[in-house]
Every structure is written in structure tokens, then in C-alpha cells.
Amino acid sequence: MLKLLMAFKNSFALWRFRKYVQTHIHAGMHVGKNVTITPGVRFDPPHSFLTSIGNNSIIAPDVRFLNHDASMFGIAGYARLGTITIHDNCFIGAGSILLPSISIGPNAIVAAGSVVTKDVPPNSIYGGNPAKLIKPLDIFLAENKEQKEASSIPSYPCEEFYPHLHDPQFRSSVLKAMSQDVAFTIGSDGDTNYLFNPSSQQANK
């Protein structure tokens, strides 16, 4: 009975979150193909029509979009509005805050907890408060590729990793294998609960 109640609660939370995102899409927010938007993301009503999210982008949990700045209202009697444009293939890390009038270029990564106050160039990694350049994307990818290919770093296909996380012995083996406190998962776990506007290829998976 408890399992049924938990399953219902989780299903209802998923339905409510997807409805929340769809409400902003219906209000004019642009969301491209194969966009992942995860729980806790907050858009800026009624200004979310000023937000655009490009294809294949991922918005991690608890990201906050702010399309308006009312800091001057009490003093000057007006607020400022601005667009937030996320181009294709971007990743916005958990807990980040995106302020008005910014553009995040294609293939850019915003690190978790960042406050983005200015444009982020394509193919770059930005982080911090305010967000600043950490390193170019190609260097980051090369570093991770070298680490992933090291014999001491374990790699797990997602379809073999996530279904076994309930098994204490499997979790223990993963921890034991992570001698450098890092591991990699490869591919996707197939969870499309937080995928919006899937392409026909994704929809058929």
C-alpha cells in the first residue's frame, strides 16, 4: 500500500511539474526540440515569453530565470525587462540564476550555482558569481576524455548502472572502484520524464 501511495505521489508531482512548464510554453516561452527541464526550475511569470531555450539543451534542477529587474522600482518607479536566450546544446547547472538581457551561446556550459549577468560566448564554460570564464569547452572535453580513458577510472553504461542502484552490493562495488572519487556513466538512462518537445527519433525510444 505504501509503495502505491509513493508511486501516486511521484506521478502527481511529475504531472504537476510538466503542467507548470507547459503553462509557460503556452504563454509564449520558446522551447526547442529535445530540451530537458528538471524539477525545481522556476520561470518568471508573466515575463517567461521573453525566454527562449534552444534544441538539445539541459536545464538542471533549481535553475531560476529572471526576465525582470525591479530593483529600481521603489526609487525610480520603473522596472527593467530583458530576454534570456539559451542557444542549442547548452547545459545550465543546478541552482544557477539567469538575469535579464543575457544570451548563452551554442555549446556553452554554465556551472552549478552561477549567477549569469552577462552574455556567455559559444563553446565556453562559465561559472561563479558573477559568472566568468572557467575554460574553453574544447579543453574541458579533452581533459575529461583523457580522464575517462584512464584505466583507473571506472565507466558504466547507463542502462547497466541506474537499474542496479537499489542493490547495496552494486553500490558498494561502485564506491570501491572509484579509487579517485570519480566515475563516468555513458549514454542515457532512457528517462524522458523531463524531456520536452522530443524529436521523432527520441519519441520512438
Side-chain angles (χ1 to χ4, degrees), residues 103-190:
S103 175
I104 298 175
N107 308 310
I109 295 174
V110 173
S114 299
V115 179
V116 183
T117 62
K118 297 180 180 179
D119 291 350
V120 173
N123 303 297
S124 63
I125 302 174
Y126 268 58
N129 179 10
K132 297 179 180 179
L133 178 66
I134 296 176
K135 62 182 63 176
L137 180 64
D138 57 350
I139 293 177
F140 177 74
L141 292 176
E143 290 173 349
N144 276 272
K145 182 180 179 182
E146 181 179 351
Q147 191 176 38
K148 185 173 76 67
E149 292 176 350
S151 59
S152 58
I153 305 296
S155 294
Y156 302 91
C158 281
E159 64 271 17
E160 298 176 9
F161 182 80
Y162 289 102
H164 296 95
L165 288 183
H166 66 281
D167 182 349
Q169 288 185 334
F170 179 74
R171 295 197 302 266
S172 178
S173 71
V174 171
L175 288 169
K176 186 176 180 179
M178 293 172 62
S179 60
Q180 298 185 36
D181 296 325
V182 66
F184 289 90
T185 58
I186 303 170
S188 169
D189 62 358

Side-chain angles (χ1 to χ4, degrees), residues 9-21:
K9 182 179 179 181
N10 291 338
S11 295
F12 179 73
L14 172 61
W15 173 84
R16 186 169 62 178
F17 177 72
R18 290 190 65 88
K19 188 170 182 61
Y20 167 78
V21 176

Side-chain angles (χ1 to χ4, degrees), residues 26-177:
H26 293 323
M29 181 175 72
H30 172 75
V31 173
K33 294 291 185 182
N34 302 323
V35 172
T36 299
I37 303 174
T38 49
V41 172
R42 304 300 296 176
F43 299 106
D44 189 359
H47 311 108
S48 56
F49 72 97
L50 297 169
T51 288
S52 175
I53 304 174
N55 301 332
N56 308 310
S57 290
I58 299 174
I59 314 300
D62 302 320
V63 172
R64 183 67 188 261
F65 290 73
L66 292 174
N67 295 99
H68 78 287
D69 175 6
S71 59
M72 301 168 288
F73 187 79
I75 299 170
Y78 57 83
R80 183 171 66 91
L81 302 179
T83 59
I84 296 174
T85 302
I86 299 173
H87 291 275
D88 295 349
N89 309 314
C90 290
F91 179 88
I92 311 300
S96 295
I97 300 174
L98 309 182
L99 296 182
S101 304
I102 62 163
S103 175
I104 298 175
N107 308 310
I109 295 174
V110 173
S114 299
V115 179
V116 183
T117 62
K118 297 180 180 179
D119 291 350
V120 173
N123 303 297
S124 63
I125 302 174
Y126 268 58
N129 179 10
K132 297 179 180 179
L133 178 66
I134 296 176
K135 62 182 63 176
L137 180 64
D138 57 350
I139 293 177
F140 177 74
L141 292 176
E143 290 173 349
N144 276 272
K145 182 180 179 182
E146 181 179 351
Q147 191 176 38
K148 185 173 76 67
E149 292 176 350
S151 59
S152 58
I153 305 296
S155 294
Y156 302 91
C158 281
E159 64 271 17
E160 298 176 9
F161 182 80
Y162 289 102
H164 296 95
L165 288 183
H166 66 281
D167 182 349
Q169 288 185 334
F170 179 74
R171 295 197 302 266
S172 178
S173 71
V174 171
L175 288 169
K176 186 176 180 179

